[in-house]
Amino acid sequence: MISSKALRLGTFTRRFTALRSSPPVRGLATATQIPSPHPDVANRTPPYQKLVKNLFEVRRILGNGTGLTLAEKILYSHLDNPEESLCGRNGKIRGDAYLKLKVDRVAMQDASAQMALLQFMTCNLPNTSVPASIHCDHMIVGEKGADEDLIGSIRGNKEVFDFLESAAKKYGIQFWAPGSGIIHQVVLENYAAPGLMMLGTDSHTPNGGGLGAIAIGVGGADAVDALVDAPWELRAPKILGVKLEGQLSGWASPKDVILALTGKLTVRGGTGYIIEYFGPGVKSLSATGMATICNMGAEVGATTSLFPFTESMVSYLDSTRRSPIAKAALKVNAENGFLQPDKSAKYDEIITIDLSALEPHINGPFTPDLSTPLSKFKEAVAENNWPTGLSAGLIGSCTNSSYQDMSRVESLVKQAKAVGLKPKVDFFITPGSEQIRATLERDQTLKEFQEAGGTVLANACGPCIGQWKRTDNVAKGEHNAIFTSYNRNFKGRNDGNPGTMNFLTSPEIVTAFIYSGAMTFNPMRDTITTPSGEAFKFSPPAGPELPSRGFTEGNPDFYPVDATPSSEAEVVISPTSDRLALLEPFTPFGNSELKGLKVLYKVKGKCTTDTISAAGAWLKYKGHLDNISNNTLITAVNGETGEVNKAYDTDGSVSGIPELARKWQSAGQEWLVVAEHNYGEGSAREHAALQPRYLGGRIILAKSFARIHETNLKKQGMVPLTFVNENDYELIGSCDSVDTIGLLDMLKAGGEGEVKVRVTKKDGRQHEILVRHTISKDQAGFILAGSALNLLSKMAAQRP
């Protein structure tokens, strides 16, 4: 039931009232060294017995002698119907078969949860079919410090948070309030488990691979598949094996494994692959270190990343109140080898990394795959004319906010303190969760950071995803360099300033650099002059993997309450809201080819989901499709003029891209976009697919797509096509007219058949261009129906 009445005084409203009158009470609980199991641990344990039974059936179909990787074991054991997905393929599964999977869990962050829930609500179901959680982490600004920022962000976003909490109550979803932590850290601490399969509405969901889970980032429409108990479809990925040898030492950290690998693979080198780590070096890594590595696998386009079961996972599960899961995992692995690859497993490719020889890396700016070893960074600064001075250092985020990360940083801060050094630039710290924050407070780590001049931000994404309100007077457009321990560094992402160069590295390297303030500094060999005039050189960082006294949970108000669905609960959306709006279904495809489409825009160069649907200030409109559509492609570069957000109509008049799209839409003129490689790289932002569809777009024709975005387009009824000959990109320009040939037949044939497009230039000349597609039978059904949601709603209505 949708209500326009004011929200009743619920759990979160009471929290907000308390926060408004006084800051949050910190560190109220004290953990024991061997904590008692979480009361909900049984519901968080993967169904090992069922999964092993399914895997036996899979082995029968494939042949008992077929060696399987760990990724295949977990994926195939979650197949809804192994016979349908695997039979008759003659071993051609990876990169070819479409797997229909039943996932164990769904996690949603607040920005994307709005649209996911709005879509789920149209199905009129009483509850979600799998356990789910909502995490309020993306809509909290980082500026002055945790308490002040949190109160202001709650006040500014109260309408959205109240909607999310009310929906959670109605449908039985666990609601993690603002301040509780970043989705991926909270999932690692509470829900991720060896052998689990989960979907998350955020591209860095693979963070859960640090605990041996298959955790995949998706759009909200994909999440709805799982929430309504429909099989979720995935084209079987290839498997990239990364063999780790040796052991990290000195300044090298787990972050450097993925920074180096990203440099090797590039931002699209992992597309169509799962990255599976193996080898003797795996045993030397902490669970949180492995999570860091898996988290950034999203930057190479990989479907997900994961590690085999290790003793460090057992230690982490024990320390986070999940000992029964650790015991169950040990048992199923000992009896069936379920949580490790078969000895005869084969990988499509193998890359070997010697951890013993690995040095720290620094990646950037403006792309996460520009990787430079620390020893060569000074030279790169000079060669590229990057700023020589640093303007800020930021550590934490979902990627690097573990206890181990922070304790290693603390060792450096203490070294600097002992010789009288202070940071020379602004220093920001983002704890990943309330549990991490409270434990660091108890152990005096945060005190050390604050006494050094650091600002502790809220347990939220903050600057990492564009919610950073800078107070250091760096002007818009001013070139400056920041060092962060984040995972993504696209232009303008952090502070809205396209001149800010974000260099990604480990928290330890960020911290060392803030004491120098110079981009040319190398903490492994260089010294800093102390106030007494002496030369000081950092010793390598050191810190424990887990807190010796266990974790403390902190403020209990930040933790979710009972997730039992309530038919009495009302989901509150004001009819006059500019933040939330109910969805109207998209129209079906129709019974003819697409004819007379106009090219709205020809995009040049990198076009990420940030480019297609900007974050930052626009996050407040995530639940209002009409309003957020005003940011569509506003930072895209025009491939014909080099201008940004300048679109030309057939009469030569110029406007912004969304303005021209709306003008054409009102005139009944449908359109397409032409783009280059890896279109839709970056966040799992389904708005980047929803918005073009909403404004009248029908096709995206690109040289290649990022995986999540290509799927999101299909789910919303958009048709993603790629050039057979990439040079044909040059044959199309803005306002050209485009007809499809064979598209309707292909869709009606369930994805079988070739497609071409006929391009008519302004002077009447025509070109026929061959294009490719990756549309499956189910996806063809989505497009014909107008969207996947249209089909799901119909299916839900037919249930008894």
Side-chain angles (χ1 to χ4, degrees):
M1 175 179 179
I2 308 301
S3 170
S4 60
K5 295 184 294 183
L7 181 67
R8 297 171 182 170
L9 189 65
T11 304
F12 179 67
T13 306
R14 289 198 299 272
R15 288 177 186 150
F16 173 70
T17 303
L19 286 169
R20 187 167 53 182
S21 60
S22 62
V25 179
R26 299 293 196 169
L28 298 181
T30 302
T32 57
Q33 192 167 1
I34 304 175
S36 58
H38 192 283
D40 193 39
V41 72
N43 292 328
R44 301 179 183 189
T45 304
Y48 289 127
Q49 205 168 13
K50 175 185 174 183
L51 297 177
V52 168
K53 182 179 178 181
N54 286 353
L55 189 58
F56 276 126
E57 176 64 10
V58 168
R59 290 194 185 279
R60 182 191 67 77
I61 295 169
L62 298 179
N64 289 325
T66 303
L68 299 176
T69 65
L70 173 60
E72 288 174 307
K73 287 183 180 182
I74 301 176
L75 280 178
Y76 298 169
S77 66
H78 284 85
L79 283 167
D80 183 45
N81 185 334
E83 292 272 359
E84 179 184 352
S85 293
L86 303 178
C87 274
R89 306 209 64 89
N90 296 320
K92 294 182 179 179
I93 298 174
R94 297 183 195 172
D96 188 55
Y98 280 91
L99 309 177
K100 293 185 178 182
L101 303 153
K102 285 295 190 76
V103 303
D104 301 311
R105 175 173 289 278
V106 172
M108 299 170 279
Q109 41 97 332
D110 51 357
S112 56
Q114 296 170 62
M115 194 55 66
L117 289 171
L118 288 167
Q119 292 177 87
F120 174 75
M121 286 160 55
T122 67
C123 298
N124 296 312
L125 294 175
N127 55 269
T128 64
S129 297
V130 298
S133 55
I134 298 169
H135 305 263
C136 297
D137 61 357
H138 270 57
M139 302 176 71
I140 300 169
V141 172
E143 180 185 5
K144 299 176 181 178
D147 292 341
E148 191 169 345
D149 293 345
L150 183 58
I151 292 171
S153 296
I154 290 172
R155 184 181 294 113
N157 297 291
K158 183 175 182 295
E159 178 184 2
V160 172
F161 293 145
D162 285 346
F163 160 69
L164 294 175
E165 186 182 32
S166 67
K169 287 180 178 177
K170 184 172 185 65
Y171 299 116
I173 302 170
Q174 289 202 310
F175 177 78
W176 292 77
S180 58
I182 304 173
I183 177 172
H184 311 303
Q185 181 65 30
V186 174
V187 165
L188 195 73
E189 293 172 352
N190 292 273
Y191 302 126
L196 183 84
M197 183 174 181
M198 67 170 288
L199 303 181
T201 60
D202 190 282
S203 57
H204 294 105
T205 299
N207 193 79
L211 274 178
I214 288 278
I216 301 176
V218 297
D222 277 356
V224 173
D225 283 352
L227 295 176
V228 304
D229 197 32
W232 177 68
E233 188 177 69
L234 173 71
R235 190 169 192 172
K238 295 180 180 180
I239 313 295
L240 169 62
V242 178
K243 184 178 182 180
L244 301 182
E245 298 178 338
Q247 186 170 340
L248 295 171
S249 63
W251 285 88
S253 73
K255 182 67 166 274
D256 297 305
V257 175
I258 189 60
L259 291 175
L261 184 63
T262 304
K264 292 177 184 291
L265 292 176
T266 78
V267 291
R268 52 195 179 98
T271 303
Y273 285 86
I274 286 178
I275 301 176
E276 181 171 315
Y277 294 85
F278 70 102
V282 166
K283 295 179 181 179
S284 68
L285 298 174
S286 66
T288 52
M290 291 187 282
T292 292
I293 294 169
C294 291
N295 180 299
M296 267 197 72
E299 310 319 320
V300 299
T303 302
T304 193
S305 305
L306 81 163
F307 279 83
F309 189 50
T310 66
E311 284 297 321
S312 66
M313 293 183 190
V314 174
S315 299
Y316 188 75
L317 288 167
D318 286 344
S319 69
T320 52
R321 304 181 66 190
R322 292 176 288 170
S323 292
I325 297 178
K327 291 176 181 177
L330 283 165
K331 184 174 186 293
V332 75
N333 195 50
E335 293 176 352
N336 301 286
F338 180 60
L339 301 174
Q340 61 192 37
D342 291 336
K343 291 182 179 180
S344 57
K346 290 182 171 58
Y347 298 94
D348 293 284
E349 295 181 37
I350 292 179
I351 294 175
T352 300
I353 297 177
D354 182 358
L355 300 180
S356 301
L358 190 64
E359 70 169 296
H361 280 64
I362 300 171
N363 288 27
F366 303 139
T367 184
D369 60 351
L370 180 57
S371 185
T372 308
L374 178 59
S375 59
K376 298 181 180 179
F377 190 69
K378 179 177 180 179
E379 181 182 326
V381 169
E383 288 179 353
N384 293 283
N385 199 28
W386 293 332
T388 56
L390 195 63
S391 65
L394 302 95
I395 65 169
S397 83
C398 69
T399 325
N400 280 105
S401 58
S402 69
Y403 188 85
Q404 183 179 38
D405 289 327
M406 295 301 179
S407 62
R408 282 168 63 88
V409 166
E410 181 186 14
S411 73
L412 298 175
V413 172
K414 285 182 174 179
Q415 289 181 48
K417 177 182 177 181
V419 296
L421 288 175
K422 289 277 190 180
K424 294 185 178 178
V425 297
D426 287 346
F427 182 33
F428 295 93
I429 303 96
T430 299
S433 68
E434 173 62 6
Q435 178 171 274
I436 286 290
R437 187 215 59 78
T439 305
L440 294 174
E441 182 178 66
R442 181 201 66 194
D443 294 349
Q444 304 295 302
T445 304
L446 293 187
K447 181 181 178 182
E448 292 288 348
F449 294 164
Q450 291 169 321
E451 288 181 351
T455 299
V456 179
L457 300 175
N459 312 322
C461 300
C464 184
I465 51 90
Q467 295 280 41
W468 184 21
K469 189 174 180 180
R470 295 185 73 162
T471 58
D472 56 1
N473 299 317
V474 172
K476 187 73 172 285
E478 180 182 345
H479 290 287
N480 71 105
I482 63 174
F483 266 39
T484 79
S485 67
Y486 301 163
N487 47 32
R488 196 160 279 166
N489 58 351
F490 302 143
K491 186 175 290 188
R493 178 177 174 88
N494 305 111
D495 57 2
N497 178 10
T500 296
M501 301 180 183
N502 179 359
F503 293 88
L504 307 173
T505 189
S506 68
E508 301 93 316
I509 295 297
V510 173
T511 304
F513 267 76
I514 66 170
Y515 283 97
S516 165
M519 292 276 285
T520 54
F521 178 64
N522 182 343
M524 295 178 66
R525 69 182 184 210
D526 296 340
T527 61
I528 303 173
T529 302
T530 67
S532 63
E534 298 178 352
F536 164 75
K537 182 181 177 184
F538 281 108
S539 297
E545 184 175 315
L546 295 167
S548 59
R549 291 190 287 163
F551 287 106
T552 181
E553 292 188 340
N555 189 339
D557 282 343
F558 286 136
Y559 288 82
V561 293
D562 182 47
T564 303
S566 171
S567 59
E568 303 295 320
E570 296 178 342
V571 180
V572 183
I573 301 176
S574 168
T576 60
S577 174
D578 69 348
R579 301 288 300 272
L580 297 160
L582 296 177
L583 297 175
E584 295 293 334
F586 293 131
T587 56
F589 184 86
N591 199 34
S592 64
E593 293 288 331
L594 298 179
K595 294 184 179 296
L597 302 183
K598 293 286 188 187
V599 177
L600 177 75
Y601 205 70
K602 184 175 181 178
V603 181
K604 179 182 179 181
K606 185 185 286 282
C607 192
T608 70
T609 49
D610 282 13
T611 308
I612 307 166
S613 177
W618 291 95
L619 285 176
K620 64 183 179 181
Y621 296 128
K622 284 282 190 176
H624 200 294
L625 183 55
D626 186 61
N627 283 345
I628 199 171
S629 293
N630 290 322
N631 75 5
T632 305
L633 287 162
I634 58 174
T635 58
V637 177
N638 190 313
E640 295 163 302
T641 69
E643 299 168 296
V644 174
N645 193 27
K646 296 290 185 183
Y648 290 82
D649 204 344
T650 51
D651 62 2
S653 60
V654 63
S655 66
I657 299 169
E659 289 75 20
L660 182 58
R662 287 187 186 275
K663 178 182 176 182
W664 284 4
Q665 182 186 42
S666 65
Q669 175 62 63
E670 295 181 319
W671 49 266
L672 74 156
V673 166
V674 177
E676 296 199 85
H677 279 298
N678 213 28
Y679 182 86
E681 172 192 346
S683 300
R685 195 168 295 159
E686 74 173 330
H687 290 74
L690 274 163
Q691 292 168 216
R693 178 77 164 107
Y694 176 76
L695 293 177
R698 301 301 301 274
I699 291 174
I700 305 294
L701 176 56
K703 293 181 180 179
S704 64
F705 287 94
R707 176 194 62 85
I708 297 176
H709 186 65
E710 185 176 23
T711 300
N712 287 346
L713 289 169
K714 298 170 188 174
K715 284 290 178 91
Q716 301 306 336
M718 292 281 285
V719 180
L721 300 172
T722 56
F723 295 99
V724 171
N725 180 355
E726 293 179 6
N727 292 331
D728 287 343
Y729 168 86
E730 305 298 336
L731 299 179
I732 305 179
S734 62
C735 293
D736 286 352
S737 180
V738 176
D739 304 331
T740 61
I741 303 170
L743 176 60
L744 180 64
D745 289 341
M746 178 272 288
L747 293 173
K748 287 186 172 181
E752 299 294 330
E754 291 187 351
V755 178
K756 295 187 286 187
V757 296
R758 181 187 298 114
V759 179
T760 303
K761 308 293 288 184
K762 296 174 187 176
D763 61 6
R765 290 179 297 127
Q766 290 188 335
H767 308 286
E768 281 195 4
I769 295 175
L770 284 174
V771 294
R772 292 191 183 94
H773 71 86
T774 59
I775 295 170
S776 70
K777 181 179 179 180
D778 285 357
Q779 291 165 348
F782 301 157
I783 295 169
L784 287 171
S787 72
L789 186 60
N790 289 357
L791 277 185
L792 289 176
S793 298
K794 184 177 179 180
M795 289 166 53
Q798 293 172 346
R799 289 183 183 176

